[in-house]
Amino acid sequence: MARHPFLPLFSALLLVTAITKSEAFSKTVKSRFPGHNPEKLTHLHFYFHDTVSGDKPTAVVVATGPNTNSSASAFGMVAVVDDPLTVGPNITSEEVGRAQGMYSSSDQKTFGLLMALNLVFTKGEFSGSTVAMYGRNSVMSKVREIPIVGGTGAFRFGRGYAQAKTVRFNTTTGDAVVEYNVYVWH
Ligand SMILES: *[C@@H]1O[C@H](CO)[C@@H](O)[C@H](O)[C@H]1NC(C)=O
Ligand SMILES: *[C@@H]1O[C@H](CO)[C@@H](O)[C@H](O)[C@H]1NC(C)=O
Ligand SMILES: *[C@@H]1O[C@H](CO)[C@@H](O)[C@H](O)[C@H]1NC(C)=O
């Protein structure tokens, strides 16, 4: 292939562009972002209702893999959820938000879910703010820990962790109630 006569020039230009861009890639922001107090640690406590049964499920399986049904850990299952979050363990207690997103069975040996959920709050000072939860949920463990990787509104720049503990699991229906303690720096 013939070498383009201007190739060295183009390369030099690309290099210059790359250097200029990397100089502007990041900078330290000294002043606080308006309305942002990074020193705040918020503890959220609520119950997550994962209803898979009945005619109004809030968690629906949308995909399975070729071996999901014969897999002891349901490997390959993907569910989309819009689960209510309430102040108490009873589903009739006050709803404070929803857990929206999906989880998938991602472990071939034991039950292990990848959780990719937004916690969307609808009550009180956090109404309209969201927290993004992403990580592994080893559902057979008594207490599971899942990272909080971000947030919006009051939870901008949010980071932290969630601890999940199953309080009720109906082995007939598959419905679960899970207690969540979430800590977010924001
Ligand atoms: C697995 O079982 C579900 C529910 O019975 C069914 O909808 C799905 O098609 C099955 N998947 C395969 C790959 O057989
Ligand atoms: C939930 O609350 C309703 C009334 O608000 C009550 O009838 C029901 O027994 C409660 N369920 C549980 C599991 O506590
Ligand atoms: C599980 O759900 C079924 C169907 O709704 C119900 O009859 C049963 O009492 C439930 N079991 C427990 C332990 O709550």
Side-chain angles (χ1 to χ4, degrees), residues 109-153:
K109 292 198 179 110
T110 70
F111 267 115
L113 301 178
L114 164 69
M115 309 290 280
L117 294 175
N118 291 309
L119 306 176
V120 182
F121 298 102
T122 52
K123 287 282 154 61
E125 67 172 304
F126 299 123
S127 179
S129 295
T130 70
V131 161
M133 186 167 79
Y134 182 90
R136 186 169 195 275
N137 182 354
S138 52
V139 284
M140 300 315 275
S141 306
K142 194 158 187 252
V143 179
R144 292 87 71 181
E145 186 169 319
I146 306 155
I148 297 298
V149 297
T152 65

Side-chain angles (χ1 to χ4, degrees), residues 89-93 168:
N90 196 329
I91 197 158
T92 60
S93 68
R168 266 203 303 276

Side-chain angles (χ1 to χ4, degrees), residues 2 20 25 30 43 76 89 94 98 102 118 126 128 131 140 147 162:
T20 312
F25 177 63
K30 287 197 181 113
H43 175 202
E94 190 190 11
R98 311 287 292 192
M102 57 187 87
N118 291 309
F126 299 123
V131 161
M140 300 315 275

Side-chain angles (χ1 to χ4, degrees), residues 32-34 36-38 149-160 184-186:
R32 279 186 180 173
F33 197 78
H36 173 231
N37 174 6
V149 297
T152 65
F155 296 115
R156 275 181 191 168
F157 298 110
R159 66 195 188 284
V184 194
W185 276 111
H186 58 109

